[in-house]
Amino acid sequence: MIKAVRGTRDLLPPDTALWSFVDETARAVFRAYNFQEIRTPIFEDTQLFSRGVGEETDIVSKEMFTWEDRGRAQSEKGQLITLRPENTAGVVRAYIEHNLQTRGLNKLYYIGPQFRRERPQKGRYRQFYQIGAEMIGPPTSGSESPARDAEILELLATFLDRLGISGWTLQLNSIGCAQDRANYNEALRNALDPVKSRMDPDCQRRAVTNPLRVFDCKVPEDQPIIEQLPRISEFLDEPCRKHFEQVQEILKSVGVPFTLNDRLVRGLDYYSRTAFEFTHGALGAQNAILGGGRYDGLSEQLGGPKAPGIGFAIGEDRLVLALNRSAEEMQSKPDVYIAPLGAGMDRESARLARELRHQDLMVELGDETFRLKKSLETASKLGARFALIVGENEIKADSFALKNLATGEQVSVPHSELVERIRPNS
Ligand code: AMP
């Protein structure tokens, strides 16, 4: 038997009802904040991620699905292509490629699959889904303002509330401007120098090439060393500190609670200033539902114009796990099951179904080979509210037997009144 590849999975009904609920709620929230959808390709030039996300990150150094595409001519070397491990780099590439800076502040969102070669476990997959958004534009568009950071965070709190997810914690940090981070990296390097030989080889390498990434080391024996390292909060210059304070002030004013965590550095190199994660207790080891932050230098790093931005990515798989709702309950049930009674009734029933479906009713169409008993049983099993019986006599009278499947009550309803009688809450 051929099975789905390790780390990938099929999303089946009724669970897909939860996914649709999350997607629809996200779209409604994005609409309220005036975000518009963007769809970028699922694979991109590998360089986009090595330059954008960073060579030393776990994502780029270990987790990308990359292959060499065949060149056009036999002798031509192929292009290295990667399945996107995240979507911010793709959005910023599109921003540069299509000159979106002429539109001022771009407020874009995406929903789609991402791919990372990670060790699969609960809440961690090799194909997973993210719902994300980016606010990006030239500095004149206000894209650098702390008001944008606060707006993004408030949007996220609203989204989680709308989904009925409580018990989340917003962990907030500022990882400083480019110069702050350069100073901080230097301080980390100095602090790590005398102790790094005691660390895991992977962490040792990071201590030299990109000390900030030492915080992504998960080896338990290294944690006491990491705990002693200097803190980024001591390295913020005045404008950066002020920016961060303003973000916090707005959050307090709109009533979004947060916890400061100056160890939160996020596993991607493009972040600057505000960085955040929302965690949730019910998720176990993989407790981060979403992460994000500012990436003021990313556009320039990718060869584009100066375009400060801020964004986030929500792990939809984890969000669905944190939803405290039953999938069965979320699934829509047919308004009516049409039960054709005897030969020739499929034709008539198809016409009626079309008519009712055009009125936005949810209709399940039965089969004329079924006896009435079997039709009614099928209708009940599907959770339909009504069964509509279509037999020779009904067609002649243009009036149909409508059975309420909850009460068992059955009445004859003229054709012209069917929609009104079947429509929920009518
Ligand atoms: P990141 O792009 O690493 O900041 O991830 C943003 C969010 O995506 C995380 O907080 C997770 O919820 C989710 N995520 C990242 N990697 C995976 C994965 N392998 N499987 C499922 N969700 C993931």
Side-chain angles (χ1 to χ4, degrees):
M1 189 182 34
I2 300 175
K3 291 188 170 172
V5 174
R6 197 170 119 83
T8 72
R9 59 199 184 129
D10 301 306
L11 303 171
L12 304 174
D15 289 348
T16 39
L18 296 175
W19 288 74
S20 302
F21 166 65
V22 170
D23 286 350
E24 283 158 21
T25 308
R27 288 182 195 281
V29 170
F30 285 132
R31 195 173 319 116
Y33 288 76
N34 194 26
F35 278 75
Q36 290 174 309
E37 187 175 13
I38 182 167
R39 300 189 191 198
T40 64
I42 277 174
F43 51 82
E44 298 265 4
D45 188 321
T46 303
Q47 286 181 58
L48 175 66
F49 304 112
S50 44
R51 272 169 51 194
V53 177
E55 294 279 5
E56 275 303 323
T57 59
D58 283 346
I59 295 178
V60 173
S61 64
K62 303 184 207 158
E63 297 168 359
M64 296 204 302
F65 289 97
T66 297
W67 71 97
E68 187 184 324
D69 198 27
R70 241 178 292 163
R72 266 185 229 132
Q74 284 247 305
S75 54
E76 202 183 325
K77 220 174 135 40
Q79 184 187 14
L80 280 184
I81 290 180
T82 295
L83 286 181
R84 63 184 189 197
E86 60 91 61
N87 218 155
T88 299
V91 171
V92 175
R93 180 204 40 75
Y95 174 90
I96 299 167
E97 189 169 335
H98 304 287
N99 272 324
L100 299 187
Q101 83 264 18
T102 56
R103 299 189 191 172
L105 185 67
N106 288 260
K107 298 168 80 173
L108 304 166
Y109 78 88
Y110 58 83
I111 300 179
Q114 316 294 338
F115 306 85
R116 294 182 195 173
R117 189 185 275 111
E118 293 194 86
R119 196 170 47 78
Q121 63 184 87
K122 185 179 172 217
R124 200 209 268 159
Y125 311 96
R126 291 182 161 191
Q127 172 170 339
F128 60 99
Y129 294 81
Q130 284 186 336
I131 301 175
E134 316 292 349
M135 268 205 247
I136 176 168
T140 50
S141 69
S143 56
E144 239 171 328
S145 162
R148 302 287 72 79
D149 306 44
E151 188 178 14
I152 280 271
L153 291 164
E154 191 270 323
L155 176 157
L156 284 165
T158 298
F159 178 46
L160 296 177
D161 288 348
R162 283 250 204 127
L163 291 176
I165 294 180
S166 53
W168 48 263
T169 306
L170 161 56
Q171 313 242 7
L172 191 61
N173 192 19
S174 172
I175 56 172
C177 313
Q179 190 51 47
D180 303 337
R181 257 203 330 291
N183 297 343
Y184 182 51
N185 264 325
E186 199 45 44
L188 284 179
R189 221 175 245 124
N190 292 338
L192 283 162
D193 223 26
V195 289
K196 64 174 189 272
S197 59
R198 286 191 266 136
M199 299 180 89
D200 166 82
D202 199 30
C203 307
Q204 279 192 39
R205 205 197 58 241
R206 294 171 194 215
V208 179
T209 53
N210 189 348
L212 199 63
R213 296 275 69 90
V214 165
F215 291 106
D216 301 334
C217 291
K218 297 289 170 324
V219 187
E221 297 78 52
D222 290 348
Q223 298 313 309
I225 296 178
I226 294 173
E227 188 46 41
Q228 293 301 316
L229 293 173
R231 293 171 175 270
I232 182 76
S233 47
E234 293 150 21
F235 289 78
L236 302 185
D237 67 11
E238 201 39 40
C240 255
R241 190 184 305 278
K242 194 127 209 286
H243 189 275
F244 191 39
E245 273 167 18
Q246 283 172 321
V247 175
Q248 295 175 53
E249 276 161 20
I250 303 175
L251 286 179
K252 283 182 195 151
S253 128
V254 294
V256 173
F258 58 89
T259 305
L260 293 179
N261 174 359
D262 63 5
R263 286 305 195 207
L264 180 79
V265 294
R266 312 270 306 121
L268 301 87
D269 276 353
Y270 53 61
Y271 287 114
S272 58
R273 298 204 261 196
T274 311
F276 55 86
E277 257 174 28
F278 281 66
T279 52
H280 194 271
L283 291 174
Q286 303 301 317
N287 69 351
I289 319 181
L290 70 92
R294 274 203 164 270
Y295 43 82
D296 292 341
L298 180 58
S299 168
E300 287 155 289
Q301 209 168 308
L302 295 174
K306 190 169 168 56
I310 179 161
F312 62 80
I314 306 172
E316 193 171 6
D317 305 72
R318 295 188 194 168
L319 205 57
V320 169
L321 282 172
L323 273 185
N324 199 8
R325 289 183 189 242
S326 113
E328 274 84 8
E329 221 172 79
M330 299 290 305
Q331 214 175 13
S332 325
K333 304 277 163 46
D335 294 308
V336 60
Y337 180 98
I338 298 185
L341 204 60
M345 289 303 119
D346 273 348
R347 269 198 324 260
E348 302 294 340
S349 300
R351 273 200 308 168
L352 254 182
R354 180 170 159 88
E355 185 183 318
L356 299 181
R357 284 166 174 161
H358 281 198
Q359 297 299 316
D360 251 358
L361 291 173
M362 185 170 166
V363 177
E364 177 73 17
L365 187 51
D367 192 303
E368 68 181 23
T369 64
F370 286 13
R371 290 176 176 282
L372 183 58
K373 186 162 177 282
K374 179 168 173 184
S375 287
L376 293 177
E377 278 168 9
T378 312
S380 294
K381 220 154 117 193
L382 289 169
R385 290 188 301 116
F386 291 102
L388 183 69
I389 298 159
V390 180
E392 201 110 23
N393 293 338
E394 279 82 2
I395 301 290
K396 269 199 210 116
D398 206 24
S399 192
F400 298 84
L402 186 68
K403 190 179 178 71
N404 182 321
L405 290 168
T407 63
E409 182 200 7
Q410 184 170 320
V411 286
S412 180
V413 177
H415 189 158
S416 58
E417 290 173 24
L418 278 175
V419 173
E420 186 192 329
R421 289 296 289 268
I422 294 169
R423 198 178 294 292
N425 306 322
S426 64

